Amino acid sequence: MSIDTLPPLRQVIDTHGLAAKKSLGQNFLLDLNLTAKIARLSGDNSGHDVLEIGPGPGGLTRGLLAEGARRVVAIEKDARCLAALAEVAEAYPGRLEVMGGDALDINPLDHLTPPIRVAANLPYNVGTELLVRWLTPPQWPPFWDSLTLMFQREVAQRITAEPGSKAYGRLAILAQWRADARIVLNLPPEAFSPPPKVSSAVVHLTALPEPRYPADAKMLQHVTATAFNQRRKMLRASLKGLSPDIEAHLAAADIKPTDRAEQIDLERFCALARSLKAAL
């Protein structure tokens, strides 16, 4: 069953010579019914513009458009894909804008009309960096209402992890500080071409109106990056470079100097970030 009048994705890839490039972190999802399902998991987009990163041959792009997205703005680094995406734009007049270039260097907000959602099968090599950027803007609420993003399953588990678990770390804290995050779909390697060595998962994050606890975004990033860089060390040792009075700041956040990073919940990390920020 096809979701639109365009050719199957395998045919598109063959026609345009779009063998996936490992250097670009590409793994193409070829089942259009699956890409339409992911589009539905992002919500009813008939009243939203959707930002997509790394559309490749346009599988998720077509899913988003077929499922009724008001408009899609797609950023694609691989110039080989632009002709295939132009065919998608022609099939959905006025509803798809494709921007060639690196998503890390492009600000697409001038091309998007709120309300905005993000939906993407993120290239593996930039996915985490983009997520952190979207979660830590200086102003909150952010430009997006929700993020529906595909990652390696291990990364998805890190985003949704709870304190004390092996996967718990900086990503969990940054994601859960300002958003509700949950895994909504798991995908086996064979769903992709070429099949990656690991399973994948789709994470849906909904922006909260306000962060769960007050904290400075840059300081929280800095504290968590430092704490989890040496997760087996006691926090007194791993954070000593942040302040000569680190034990006083830990005490102010109700953290024992002998605690380790994976034992500390979001509320206390935010309290530690506030204490350190106030001392600057």
Side-chain angles (χ1 to χ4, degrees), residues 32-43:
L32 287 168
N33 293 308
L34 199 48
T35 63
K37 181 176 182 178
I38 294 167
R40 289 192 295 273
L41 288 170
S42 70

Side-chain angles (χ1 to χ4, degrees), residues 1-242:
M1 186 179 101
S2 181
I3 61 171
D4 55 27
T5 58
L6 291 162
L9 280 173
R10 283 194 189 279
Q11 185 178 327
V12 172
I13 287 168
D14 290 344
T15 300
H16 295 279
L18 300 181
K21 282 188 176 180
K22 190 174 182 180
S23 62
L24 294 173
Q26 291 174 330
N27 295 92
F28 298 144
L29 196 56
L30 299 184
D31 185 340
L32 287 168
N33 293 308
L34 199 48
T35 63
K37 181 176 182 178
I38 294 167
R40 289 192 295 273
L41 288 170
S42 70
D44 176 1
N45 293 318
S46 57
H48 286 73
D49 279 11
V50 180
L51 173 64
E52 183 186 6
I53 307 297
L60 180 57
T61 318
R62 288 165 63 176
L64 290 163
L65 292 165
E67 291 296 323
R70 179 175 72 191
R71 199 162 151 275
V72 175
V73 173
I75 301 176
E76 179 53 63
K77 185 176 183 180
D78 187 353
R80 299 176 308 154
C81 297
L82 298 181
L85 293 166
E87 292 172 2
V88 179
E90 191 176 334
Y92 292 94
R95 293 176 58 207
L96 172 62
E97 179 178 352
V98 180
M99 303 175 69
D102 191 331
L104 295 174
D105 300 329
I106 291 175
N107 180 0
L109 294 187
D110 290 343
H111 301 259
L112 291 156
T113 303
I116 299 164
R117 289 176 173 152
V118 181
N121 172 11
L122 288 174
Y124 282 171
N125 51 1
V126 297
T128 301
E129 183 173 349
L130 283 170
L131 175 64
V132 170
R133 286 189 186 189
W134 290 330
L135 290 170
T136 56
Q139 303 300 319
W140 197 265
F143 74 87
W144 50 272
D145 290 354
S146 69
L147 310 172
T148 306
L149 306 172
M150 190 183 305
F151 295 98
Q152 295 180 23
R153 181 163 168 74
E154 178 188 337
V155 176
Q157 289 171 331
R158 283 163 49 201
I159 293 166
T160 57
E162 296 183 356
S165 66
K166 189 176 179 183
Y168 182 68
R170 170 172 163 260
L171 273 187
I173 290 166
L174 295 180
Q176 296 169 39
W177 174 44
R178 286 172 154 177
D180 284 327
R182 59 195 176 95
I183 293 174
V184 293
L185 184 66
N186 291 297
L187 294 141
E190 53 269 24
F192 299 85
S193 176
K197 294 179 180 178
V198 295
S199 296
S200 301
V202 177
V203 181
H204 184 74
L205 300 102
T206 306
L208 297 171
E210 298 282 344
R212 284 194 161 87
Y213 307 102
D216 175 77
K218 283 189 176 179
M219 181 58 76
L220 187 61
Q221 283 189 80
H222 188 37
V223 168
T224 52
T226 306
F228 286 101
N229 190 41
Q230 305 178 69
R231 53 191 301 143
R232 294 186 180 183
K233 278 192 173 184
M234 292 182 287
L235 281 171
R236 175 176 53 203
S238 59
L239 297 179
K240 64 183 179 182
L242 296 185

